[in-house]
Amino acid sequence: MISERMVKALNGQINKEMYSAHLYMAMSAYSSNIGLSGFANWFMVQYQEEMLHAMKFYNYIVDQGAKVELQAIEKPAQEFGTTLEMLNATLGHEKFITRSINDLVDLAIEEKDHATNIFLQWYITEQIEEEGNDNAIIDKLKLAGEKGNGLFMIDKDLAARVFNPPVNVPNWTQIR
């Protein structure tokens, strides 16, 4: 059985995941506006992933027989500076999400909520990947530079990214 405290925390995480989606959509739009369609594509894939994350939480709460309570989503920034500044902001945001997921795991352990703890392990692994991807792009930007051919090569690489929803996630990605 899931506690009210856990339900409230999971509903809060839905809001954070939805904010993440809005943030990455804003970064996608910004990238498009400055002529970097590859960065725009990469951030749009991030948007799709964050929406998937929110839906997984939504469906988990429903599966536990609890009530989903959606909250207002804060408006994200619209300007992000250079590509390096934008990716550093992305990494900072993902670190915030990692801390939030870790707090949820700590709560699940404290409450001896083994089902929620198991559910959250997917997110732990996902956050390792998210931060690693951000760091890899930041490293490339530092190496190649943010102007000229190096930036355009990175932009071309990011244009190749596609959204691949996980196939091994039972029922949590479908709306009921």
Side-chain angles (χ1 to χ4, degrees):
M1 174 168 262
I2 191 168
S3 73
E4 286 299 317
R5 185 174 169 208
M6 181 59 76
V7 172
K8 183 177 180 180
L10 294 174
N11 276 311
Q13 191 64 37
I14 290 174
N15 182 266
K16 291 171 186 170
E17 300 295 341
M18 296 292 289
Y19 174 79
S20 298
H22 279 71
L23 175 64
Y24 295 142
M25 185 183 283
M27 289 178 169
S28 178
Y30 178 78
S31 297
S32 289
N33 289 337
I34 62 172
L36 294 172
S37 60
F39 279 84
N41 175 69
W42 191 87
F43 281 112
M44 191 53 70
V45 171
Q46 285 298 109
Y47 161 82
Q48 292 170 307
E49 286 189 359
E50 299 306 331
M51 292 300 292
L52 173 89
H53 298 170
M55 286 308 305
K56 283 176 52 124
F57 278 107
Y58 173 98
N59 286 323
Y60 181 75
I61 293 168
V62 169
D63 286 348
Q64 293 299 308
K67 183 178 178 185
V68 172
E69 293 188 21
L70 300 178
Q71 304 165 12
I73 301 167
E74 181 183 341
K75 179 182 177 181
Q78 303 298 305
E79 300 288 327
F80 299 98
T82 67
T83 53
L84 184 58
E85 290 168 337
M86 186 165 49
L87 264 297
N88 278 323
T90 301
L91 178 60
H93 180 73
E94 289 299 336
K95 287 181 177 183
F96 165 75
I97 295 297
T98 298
R99 285 190 301 275
S100 182
I101 298 293
N102 288 341
D103 289 345
L104 289 172
V105 170
D106 290 345
L107 179 58
I109 291 168
E110 176 187 325
E111 295 197 351
K112 298 181 181 174
D113 182 346
H114 303 295
T116 301
N117 187 10
I118 290 168
F119 168 74
L120 292 169
Q121 295 309 305
W122 182 88
Y123 288 93
I124 297 290
T125 303
E126 179 69 8
Q127 286 308 118
I128 293 167
E129 179 185 325
E130 295 285 2
E131 290 184 28
N133 290 339
D134 295 346
N135 277 316
I137 297 168
I138 289 168
D139 289 346
K140 287 178 185 177
L141 285 169
K142 287 178 180 177
L143 184 63
E146 293 188 81
K147 295 184 183 198
N149 291 339
L151 178 61
F152 289 110
M153 288 174 56
I154 294 168
D155 190 59
K156 184 178 178 181
D157 285 347
L158 297 179
R161 185 178 186 207
V162 295
F163 177 61
N164 293 312
V167 295
N168 62 342
V169 182
N171 297 326
W172 295 328
T173 60
Q174 304 298 316
I175 298 173
R176 293 193 204 358

